[in-house]
């Protein structure tokens, strides 16, 4: 077991241009009962990591290491871990632990557990060369996926899958996607594969081209060309909530996929909510969501558009994400 782990930590939350991350070394923690020490092979860079670095998400512990789309291999298994051995490749995702006892956990809604913990927020995450995780909250990864392809599946993919399910898209329905980053570009492919007509709304010309390449019926900065049965808001822009609701047909549903959203303007009942339109949030995911999505990904093999960065350039990756210079998803690669 390595004595020291190198990692990025959120030193002073603030605008990414101010340099909120610091590269440091800390003693490698030993995995306790039911836990694993993983050597990080790749880690996706999520907008949630940017929110944490910039202080939109208040840090839950000092000098926390971001990163929750982790592909790693087992170095040491703690006491009580069975069925896993050194060298096994696993994924660690956003949901890091729950109480397992509350009414939400017992009802299969562990994403709503008041005691839930999150990788890269409550525990140190994957912007590091090693990470300790709870074994029951890891995933076996589909065969044939390179590390950099598998990493984004663990949040961008899983959260998009849950958002698509909560958007209640009918068979062959019309789906609007607002914002087209890491999660959206995977979710769009799931919807198209299921027979949906997908309309993407994004200001980025590069993202518009990618959306059309991946099967979107339209991609532009204006309103979709037809009423929508369902919509998913991936962009953290509250101003788009009334825009998306107004684009829904009667009985349509808007799912808001982000953990952070800017202020939502006042809604007009007749224009945005009447005729049984629904707006709902998406809160994390359950492990069943993760297992179901990874099985679906293994079956459909969606294209994952990756921009690779060395681990030591996580600060540059976040800067590029903040500036909209990444099309698809950024992934940090181990040395």
């Amino acid at each position: 077991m390595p004595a020291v782990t190198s990692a990025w930590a959120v030193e002073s939350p603030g605008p990414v241009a101010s340099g909120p991350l610091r590269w440091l070394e800390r003693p490698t923690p030993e995995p306790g009962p039911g836990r694993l020490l993983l050597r990080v092979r790749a880690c996706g860079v999520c907008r949630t990591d940017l929110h944490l670095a910039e202080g939109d998400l208040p840090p839950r512990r000092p000098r926390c290491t971001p990163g929750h789309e982790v592909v790693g291999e087992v170095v040491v298994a703690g006491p009580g871990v069975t069925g896993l051995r050194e060298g096994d490749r696993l994924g660690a995702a956003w949901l890091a632990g729950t109480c397992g006892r509350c009414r939400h956990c017992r009802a299969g809604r562990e994403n709503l557990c008041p005691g839930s913990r999150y990788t890269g927020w409550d525990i140190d995450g994957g912007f590091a060369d090693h990470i300790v995780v709870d074994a029951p909250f890891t995933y076996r990864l589909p065969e044939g996926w390179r590390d950099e392809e598998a990493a984004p599946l663990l949040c961008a993919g899983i959260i998009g899958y849950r958002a698509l399910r909560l958007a209640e898209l009918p068979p062959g329905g019309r789906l609007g996607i607002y914002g087209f980053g890491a999660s959206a570009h995977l979710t769009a492919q799931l919807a198209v594969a299921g027979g949906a007509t997908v309309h993407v709304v994004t200001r980025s010309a590069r993202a518009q081209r990618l959306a059309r390449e991946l099967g979107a019926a339209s991609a532009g900065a204006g309103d979709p060309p037809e009423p929508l049965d369902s919509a998913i808001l991936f962009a953290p822009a509250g101003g788009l909530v009334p825009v998306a609701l107004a684009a829904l047909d009667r009985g349509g549903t808007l799912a808001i996929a982000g953990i952070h959203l800017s202020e939502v303007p006042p809604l007009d009942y007749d224009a945005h909510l009447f005729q049984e339109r629904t707006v709902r949030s998406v809160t994390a995911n359950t492990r069943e969501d993760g297992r179901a999505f990874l099985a679906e990904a293994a079956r459909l093999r969606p294209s994952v558009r990756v921009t690779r960065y060395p681990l030591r350039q996580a600060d540059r990756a976040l800067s590029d994400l903040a500036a909209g210079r990444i099309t698809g998803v950024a992934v940090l690669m181990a040395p």
Side-chain angles (χ1 to χ4, degrees):
M1 188 173 111
V4 172
T5 288
S6 299
W8 289 96
V10 180
E11 179 78 16
S12 302
V16 71
S18 69
L21 297 187
R22 177 185 173 190
W23 181 255
L24 50 76
E25 292 186 341
R26 52 168 64 113
T28 302
E30 292 191 20
R35 311 197 81 197
L36 299 165
L37 175 69
L38 304 181
R39 181 180 72 82
V40 177
R41 292 164 45 154
C43 183
V45 179
C46 179
R47 186 162 292 274
T48 300
D49 301 316
L50 180 62
H51 291 319
L52 180 69
E54 294 197 318
D56 296 323
L57 289 183
R60 290 187 170 179
R61 55 193 301 271
R63 290 188 172 180
C64 186
T65 295
H68 54 272
E69 298 178 320
V70 183
V71 175
E73 64 180 50
V74 176
V75 178
V76 178
V81 175
T82 60
L84 295 170
R85 61 184 180 181
E86 183 179 347
D88 282 350
R89 189 177 78 143
L90 299 174
W94 177 235
L95 187 65
T98 61
C99 76
R101 300 180 302 275
C102 70
R103 64 187 182 92
H104 302 292
C105 287
R106 296 196 308 270
R109 305 177 72 190
E110 63 183 4
N111 61 306
L112 301 180
C113 173
S116 56
R117 295 178 294 116
Y118 299 96
T119 311
W121 196 18
D122 294 294
I123 68 170
D124 288 323
F127 285 20
D129 52 24
H130 290 85
I131 181 175
V132 171
V133 295
D134 284 358
F137 286 82
T138 59
Y139 296 93
R140 295 281 190 178
L141 297 172
E143 297 293 335
W145 292 74
R146 297 194 301 270
D147 294 338
E148 61 267 35
E149 294 175 316
L153 303 181
L154 293 160
C155 178
I158 295 172
I159 295 297
Y161 174 85
R162 183 173 181 85
L164 182 59
R165 184 164 64 81
L166 292 184
E168 298 182 343
L169 180 67
R174 302 156 297 177
L175 174 68
I177 291 180
Y178 290 78
F180 203 72
S183 191
H185 95 287
L186 293 171
T187 308
Q189 294 177 73
L190 294 184
V192 169
T197 299
V198 175
H199 300 291
V200 171
V201 179
T202 176
R203 292 177 297 182
S204 167
R206 289 186 300 174
Q208 291 171 14
R209 288 193 296 271
L210 177 58
R212 288 189 287 268
E213 289 175 18
L214 297 177
S218 74
D223 292 332
E226 60 180 336
L228 305 172
D229 297 301
S230 303
I232 303 174
L233 176 57
F234 287 107
L240 289 176
V241 171
V243 173
L245 285 170
L248 290 177
D249 205 347
R250 298 178 178 210
T253 298
L254 168 64
I256 301 174
I259 190 173
H260 170 77
L261 193 70
S262 61
E263 185 174 356
V264 179
L267 300 180
D268 179 271
Y269 181 69
D270 286 339
H272 302 135
L273 296 173
F274 193 54
Q275 303 294 349
E276 298 191 352
R277 295 176 179 89
T278 300
V279 58
R280 64 194 311 175
S281 66
V282 180
T283 301
N285 63 274
T286 66
R287 283 172 286 176
E288 182 54 36
D289 291 327
R291 289 187 286 266
F293 168 70
L294 291 173
E296 189 76 350
R299 183 178 69 86
L300 297 175
R301 191 59 192 254
S303 173
V304 185
R305 302 299 175 95
V306 174
T307 301
R308 299 166 185 81
Y309 294 81
L311 174 61
R312 286 297 299 263
Q313 293 183 14
D315 51 351
R316 182 165 71 87
L318 285 182
S319 179
D320 287 346
L321 179 61
R325 292 189 288 264
I326 295 171
T327 301
V329 60
V331 178
L332 305 179
M333 303 300 299

